[in-house]
Amino acid sequence: MSEALAMTDAITDSLLAVRNLNGWYDESHVLHGINFDVRPGEVVTLLGRNGAGKTTTLRAIMGILGKRQGSVRFDGRELIGLEPRHIAQAGIAFCPEERGIFSSLSVDENLMLPPQVKPGGLTREAVLDMFPNLRERLGSQGTKLSGGEQQMLAIGRILRTGAKFLLLDEPTEGLAPVIVQQIGRTLSQLKSQGFTIVLVEQNFRFAASVADRHYVVEQGRVIDTIPNEDLAANMNKLHAYLGV
Amino acid sequence: MFELLGIPPQALFGQLLLGLINGSFYALLSLGLAVIFGLLNIINFSHGAQYMMGAFVAWMLLTYTGINYWWALLIVPLVVGATGVVIERLMISRLYHLDHLYGLLLTFGLALIIQGLFRNQYGVSGLPYSIPAELSGGTNLGFMFLPNYRGWVIVASVVVCFATWFAIEKTRLGAYLRAATENPTLVGAFGINVPRMITLTYGFGVALAALAGVLAAPIYSVNPNMGADLIIVVFAVVVIGGMGSILGAILTGFGLGIVEGLTRVFYPEGSAVVIFVIMAIVLLVKPAGLFGRTQ
Ligand SMILES: Nc1ncnc2c1ncn2[C@@H]1O[C@H](COP(=O)(O)OP(=O)(O)O)[C@@H](O)[C@H]1O
Ligand SMILES: [Mg+2]
């Protein structure tokens, strides 16, 4: 733990700095002091077993967790205590683990739902070029799409908002390998366009292919930090952490 | 054929017309309830009182200030809708973190208070509101005589119901509303002001009730109890149609009005209870309602 802290403390130019983040569901204390940093343009992952607190961390950053304490600084501004909509307007976009495609909206309506919060978002056309499958299904009910298409829609719609900081919760979960590859290419493309991404993943082979740095989450704490270039040397440790 | 059944066509068409008129009010009121229930998850028990307020505010505008029916159609929904906005902000919004039952109790209490205030002030004998001159008289359709005002009520109700359906199902604003009905947390996390949407939605549902009240004023006498009598039937309509379905509320409203009218022709003794009998059957066979989705 002190090792993790020492490493995060070394980062001074973060776009997102999470410090001693605590979070609760009702009475149940789930996050016990999460610390990590994300620099502009980086892709950073949160790795960890099921139930470690990765989703809860994203929810706490987004402000949709009932109770949270500590500090989340984004672009120099403290987010703890802000309403979710103000956090979104600050330029953070969230793609939830369950994807959150609306069944009472068509694919097109789902795509156009999130309002623009900053100038410079992708156009509808650019999103459809990125995910051509969606173009043929624009009139369908959102939840009639396949799992992979729903994931593309969930990512695509937040790219329109102009937010350049993305929180993606397990975008490859349960998807076929070709779709996982397509999403991997998309993330690399987004990174090269200057997006900053926090990626929650269980699939660390996928994580290794896109990320700059990995934070290992266990029982509501960040217990280790592994730069992507050190990943191979740390495989044994990582297997132990993830129990795979 | 009618003669064979021993029913003169005038009686049949007359009752069908009456059924359509009642159906117009059922549809407008259950539509407002469905819109409110969809987003706020509360059953607005004040709805009947807000319908009555609509009729009363129209009567006051005419009596105290001389503002006529046509302006009342515009002003009354705005005024009564604004009281809805205040009620939502000051009271209902404090109950969202509690069980839905609390919202129901609050709006039920408000209904009793509002009706009591109007009863104290105006008594229960009813106040007249005359049909606007432009719509007095009637038209001979050949098979029946149609009073113009009643024809207008049906047309106005169909137009308002269709416009509401269109706004909710086919526009961008409606997409926000549908999305927030499904998952308000995620819609808020996209940067949309969900609390304001909830407030305006309640105001809109109340405005629909008030509009129905204005339409009703020249037909029924303006009376503090007019909403309480009607709303019981409207709740049955909503149960039959299924809570939260916009199209379901509209179709069920008109449909049950017609069914009630036909019952009055073929089995008059049953006309007062037919809707409740249908409600009981629907509850047994399809508890979520004809158009309802099971959660
Ligand atoms: N809605 C909830 N209510 C109560 N506890 C929850 C809820 N969601 C998650 N938890 C608990 O919080 C802990 C962290 O969960 P989560 O953040 O979803 O883990 P991860 O995303 O790492 O798999 C788990 O112990 C889980 O059981
Ligand atoms: Mg998770």
Side-chain angles (χ1 to χ4, degrees):
Chain A
M1 158 123 203
S2 56
E3 185 193 355
L5 267 183
M7 294 194 71
T8 54
D9 282 350
I11 295 177
T12 52
D13 53 346
S14 0
L15 179 56
L16 183 83
V18 177
R19 291 290 177 276
N20 195 28
L21 180 63
N22 280 257
W24 289 259
Y25 289 104
D26 295 320
E27 297 303 304
S28 132
H29 192 170
V30 172
L31 302 181
H32 301 269
I34 295 270
N35 297 288
F36 69 96
D37 287 83
V38 189
R39 293 196 194 91
E42 277 187 324
V43 176
V44 156
T45 70
L46 304 180
L47 301 174
R49 296 181 202 211
N50 259 331
K54 308 179 295 295
T55 295
T56 309
T57 301
L58 297 193
R59 295 173 62 88
I61 294 171
M62 208 60 230
I64 54 178
L65 190 66
K67 184 179 167 199
R68 60 201 201 280
Q69 279 176 8
S71 165
V72 176
R73 291 193 77 79
F74 175 70
D75 210 4
R77 183 166 163 214
E78 180 59 58
L79 300 185
I80 290 283
L82 291 190
E83 293 286 327
R85 69 173 186 274
H86 295 131
I87 294 172
Q89 284 155 7
I92 302 183
F94 176 49
C95 179
E97 188 171 6
E98 67 284 0
R99 295 172 189 143
I101 300 303
F102 297 96
S103 67
S104 56
L105 272 64
S106 69
V107 171
D108 204 16
E109 286 175 326
N110 267 286
L111 182 59
M112 300 308 287
L113 184 78
Q116 294 204 341
V117 294
K118 303 259 155 158
L122 272 64
T123 62
R124 176 168 174 277
E125 277 306 304
V127 174
L128 293 175
D129 287 342
M130 193 175 260
F131 302 112
N133 302 32
L134 297 180
R135 198 188 289 277
E136 291 132 45
R137 308 292 307 272
L138 284 173
S140 313
Q141 186 185 350
T143 44
K144 289 269 159 66
L145 296 180
S146 71
E149 290 166 337
Q150 289 193 31
Q151 189 63 62
M152 294 172 194
L153 180 55
I155 296 175
R157 67 180 171 192
I158 59 174
L159 300 179
R160 281 186 39 261
T161 63
K164 285 297 175 98
F165 192 97
L166 312 180
L167 305 176
L168 308 181
D169 198 347
E170 301 210 30
T172 65
E173 193 183 9
L175 300 184
V178 290
I179 315 248
V180 173
Q181 283 170 16
Q182 191 185 349
I183 290 178
R185 281 196 300 275
T186 304
L187 296 192
S188 304
Q189 200 181 335
L190 292 175
K191 180 172 159 62
S192 70
Q193 292 178 18
F195 282 86
T196 308
I197 300 174
V198 176
L199 178 67
V200 167
E201 263 302 341
Q202 304 255 7
N203 177 346
F204 70 77
R205 251 175 294 278
F206 175 80
S209 69
V210 292
D212 297 297
R213 189 166 56 260
H214 310 277
Y215 290 100
V216 181
V217 181
E218 198 172 286
Q219 297 190 340
R221 292 180 183 85
V222 172
I223 56 157
D224 206 348
T225 309
I226 306 173
N228 200 45
E229 57 271 23
D230 299 351
L231 200 61
N234 284 282
M235 266 314 170
N236 288 339
K237 205 162 73 169
L238 204 56
H239 277 289
Y241 286 142
L242 300 180
V244 287
Chain B
M1 181 193 139
F2 301 119
E3 282 76 7
L4 276 184
L5 289 168
I7 293 152
Q10 290 84 349
L12 179 70
F13 289 125
Q15 291 300 344
L16 266 181
L17 175 66
L18 195 60
L20 268 178
I21 298 277
N22 286 338
S24 299
F25 292 110
Y26 299 162
L28 278 176
L29 291 170
S30 61
L31 175 62
L33 283 174
V35 170
I36 291 171
F37 181 81
L39 192 56
L40 282 76
N41 251 311
I42 65 158
I43 301 172
N44 181 34
F45 261 80
S46 312
H47 217 65
Q50 283 150 340
Y51 157 83
M52 176 270 288
M53 278 172 76
F56 261 99
V57 174
W59 178 87
M60 290 177 197
L61 285 177
L62 186 66
T63 310
Y64 302 142
T65 69
I67 291 175
N68 71 18
Y69 174 84
W70 302 104
W71 281 108
L73 280 178
L74 188 70
I75 297 171
V76 171
L78 291 176
V79 170
V80 181
T83 67
V85 164
V86 171
I87 287 172
E88 196 280 339
R89 275 295 80 206
L90 291 185
M91 291 183 250
I92 301 175
S93 62
R94 294 170 196 270
L95 302 178
Y96 293 137
H97 62 287
L98 299 172
D99 192 282
H100 306 329
L101 198 56
Y102 288 86
L104 187 154
L105 286 174
L106 172 74
T107 53
F108 184 59
L110 283 171
L112 295 180
I113 292 170
I114 295 169
Q115 277 159 22
L117 288 174
F118 277 90
R119 246 195 317 268
N120 265 357
Q121 191 63 33
Y122 296 101
V124 291
S125 49
L127 305 163
Y129 190 100
S130 49
I131 291 175
E134 297 86 342
L135 292 174
S136 62
T139 308
N140 193 343
L141 299 179
F143 56 92
M144 70 177 293
F145 180 79
L146 174 70
N148 289 343
Y149 187 77
R150 301 198 167 213
W152 153 251
V153 167
I154 296 170
V155 170
S157 166
V158 168
V159 168
V160 170
C161 286
F162 175 78
T164 304
W165 171 83
F166 185 87
I168 292 175
E169 299 295 340
K170 301 289 168 199
T171 69
R172 192 167 164 74
L173 197 66
Y176 283 141
L177 184 79
R178 277 174 282 141
T181 298
E182 257 185 73
N183 188 342
T185 308
L186 185 57
V187 171
F190 285 152
I192 295 167
N193 190 339
V194 176
R196 187 174 67 195
M197 235 164 89
I198 291 177
T199 304
L200 293 178
T201 299
Y202 187 74
F204 176 76
V206 171
L208 273 182
L211 179 71
V214 183
L215 289 173
I219 297 187
Y220 311 112
S221 76
V222 178
N223 180 322
N225 295 330
M226 63 192 282
D229 300 340
L230 183 60
I231 207 66
I232 307 285
V233 183
V234 172
F235 280 128
V237 170
V238 167
V239 171
I240 294 168
M243 264 305 191
S245 161
I246 300 303
L247 195 59
I250 297 171
L251 295 180
T252 316
F254 282 106
L256 286 175
I258 292 172
V259 166
E260 207 181 28
L262 289 178
T263 311
R264 221 175 282 117
V265 177
F266 293 105
Y267 185 61
E269 299 83 350
S271 65
V273 295
V274 60
I275 288 183
F276 298 98
V277 172
I278 295 174
M279 179 182 85
I281 295 170
V282 167
L283 278 178
L284 287 174
V285 179
K286 201 161 180 296
L290 295 180
F291 296 85
R293 271 169 293 195
T294 27
Q295 243 63 0

